[in-house]
Amino acid sequence: MDQNIKNVDLKLDNIEVLTSGTTAEFVNDILDFLLYQRRQIPFVYKTYKYYVDKWSDADESGESKDQESFAHYQRNQQRSKAKATKESISDMREVIRQAFRSSEVKSLRFLFGNNRFMPSEAYTVHIPHDSISRDHYCEHHALPEGRINQALLRLLTCEELYRLFSTELKVTNVFLEMELLTDSDRLQGSHCDSFNLIPKHVLSQLPRSCMDIHLHLLHCSENTPNELRCCKEIDIYHDLGVLNLDKSGEDVSQINEEQVFLKAASETSGWWQAEIIVRGFRSNSGNLWSS
């Protein structure tokens, strides 16, 4: 199995603040990148989504005319499959956002194969959860698209992945598994049920034939988190007494105890698998996208 393991560092250079929201969006960009590079969608996700949504708009406006030809039937069948793939990608992206929003994500992996027990390729993304700031808002620190593209470009120029990306992968299924850093009570809570995550008691072992790629996200910043107080210093409430936010010494002691408990609880991790499955789509007709 060792011969199929590849470790690749993926650096986020000159990113002052890394929030859970921006990390989730970057992971979603990695998913989109892998789907396109491994030939599961014919275009990059944004272009693919644009064409599929364009079909939906045409159907709603009545522009598409019913035709009783077999070619028209085949095209509608392909469009239906393309829409299902687009919707499942959108749902998986939302699962990732929800997971980062409600839990601390330690790692996650995308499995490419007919089933999750015998994948042909596995991409594990290791999250720098210690570098993620909880005192900043992702809306104020969105990752520049240029920086994201530069980071993903390293995957294309990486010697370890060049041979893999230059080979054709047949249309297959894509599965998502996530390792969440959170206490056991919250792991059993309804927040995981709300976005379709099923607990896994043991992480599935990959077969010897599976290519095992580990992507290690690295956050590089010239400024320390303590120096960045842009979101901390936003004055929202002025009268702490009216809002009963003026904590006494006893309250502060209780908060400290809760922080210690949460720190200890965060060392407990568990693996979860998403119910959503992305089924790859490849067009059989060249005029599918032009009509």
Side-chain angles (χ1 to χ4, degrees):
M1 184 182 295
D2 292 344
Q3 63 182 357
N4 285 334
I5 295 180
K6 305 292 184 183
N7 290 283
V8 180
D9 291 339
L10 203 55
K11 296 181 180 180
L12 290 171
D13 295 325
N14 300 322
I15 302 297
E16 290 186 342
V17 178
L18 188 65
T19 67
S20 59
T22 52
T23 307
E25 294 307 313
F26 185 59
V27 171
N28 278 333
D29 287 328
I30 293 176
L31 170 61
D32 300 343
F33 174 85
L34 292 175
L35 288 172
Y36 176 65
Q37 291 299 328
R38 302 314 293 135
R39 318 297 193 272
Q40 301 307 303
I41 51 178
F43 310 105
V44 294
Y45 177 68
K46 290 182 179 179
T47 303
Y48 179 71
K49 182 177 182 297
Y50 166 79
Y51 276 115
V52 174
D53 290 342
K54 188 177 180 181
W55 296 338
S56 301
D57 293 340
D59 293 339
E60 291 178 2
S61 62
E63 294 178 11
S64 58
K65 298 180 180 178
D66 292 332
Q67 300 179 12
E68 296 182 357
S69 65
F70 182 67
H72 181 73
Y73 169 78
Q74 283 187 315
R75 186 175 60 188
N76 282 345
Q77 288 294 103
Q78 288 193 66
R79 285 187 173 184
S80 178
K81 293 179 180 179
K83 290 178 182 179
T85 297
K86 191 270 294 185
E87 291 171 359
S88 61
I89 295 173
S90 177
D91 291 341
M92 185 172 288
R93 288 167 56 90
E94 187 59 28
V95 166
I96 293 173
R97 291 192 189 99
Q98 291 290 341
F100 274 91
R101 188 177 300 135
S102 59
S103 306
E104 292 186 35
V105 181
K106 183 177 181 181
S107 61
L108 67 160
R109 69 180 185 178
F110 303 106
L111 303 175
F112 288 70
N114 292 330
N115 58 70
R116 65 176 71 249
F117 304 105
M118 294 293 293
S120 57
E121 297 177 10
Y123 298 86
T124 303
V125 184
H126 298 272
I127 307 300
H129 53 89
D130 291 335
S131 300
I132 294 178
S133 174
R134 308 292 171 182
D135 299 320
H136 293 262
Y137 307 103
C138 61
E139 291 82 1
H140 299 159
H141 298 282
L143 292 178
E145 187 173 356
R147 302 275 176 82
I148 294 176
N149 292 336
Q150 288 177 3
L152 295 177
L153 187 61
R154 294 192 181 102
L155 296 180
L156 289 178
T157 58
C158 177
E159 294 182 2
E160 290 84 353
L161 299 181
Y162 176 78
R163 181 177 299 178
L164 178 64
F165 285 168
S166 61
T167 59
E168 190 81 7
L169 180 67
K170 66 178 183 179
V171 173
T172 187
N173 298 326
V174 182
F175 306 90
L176 170 64
E177 298 180 344
M178 312 184 76
E179 183 182 12
L180 305 182
L181 266 175
T182 184
D183 60 278
S184 58
D185 292 336
R186 288 184 62 196
L187 278 173
Q188 301 300 329
S190 59
H191 79 288
C192 287
D193 297 333
S194 64
F195 50 91
N196 299 323
L197 287 181
I198 304 172
K200 290 175 62 70
H201 300 292
V202 179
L203 178 63
S204 302
Q205 295 297 317
L206 300 177
R208 286 184 174 273
S209 59
C210 179
M211 291 296 301
D212 190 7
I213 313 299
H214 289 257
L215 305 178
H216 302 267
L217 301 191
L218 303 177
H219 176 223
C220 305
S221 175
E222 298 178 354
N223 299 320
T224 61
N226 295 333
E227 296 175 350
L228 299 170
R229 304 182 57 86
C230 52
C231 295
K232 286 183 179 180
E233 294 179 350
I234 298 178
D235 293 330
I236 300 176
Y237 304 116
H238 300 284
D239 196 339
L240 299 182
V242 172
L243 295 173
N244 197 24
L245 296 177
D246 188 12
K247 303 297 182 181
S248 63
E250 182 179 354
D251 294 333
V252 172
S253 176
Q254 183 178 357
I255 291 175
N256 292 335
E257 291 179 359
E258 291 177 353
Q259 290 176 344
V260 172
F261 172 78
L262 290 175
K263 182 178 180 180
S266 67
E267 297 177 357
T268 303
S269 65
W271 277 92
W272 298 73
Q273 68 183 33
E275 291 184 343
I276 298 166
I277 302 173
V278 174
R279 292 177 172 82
F281 173 78
R282 190 169 297 168
S283 166
N284 296 326
S285 173
N287 62 358
L288 177 67
W289 310 100
S290 59
S291 56

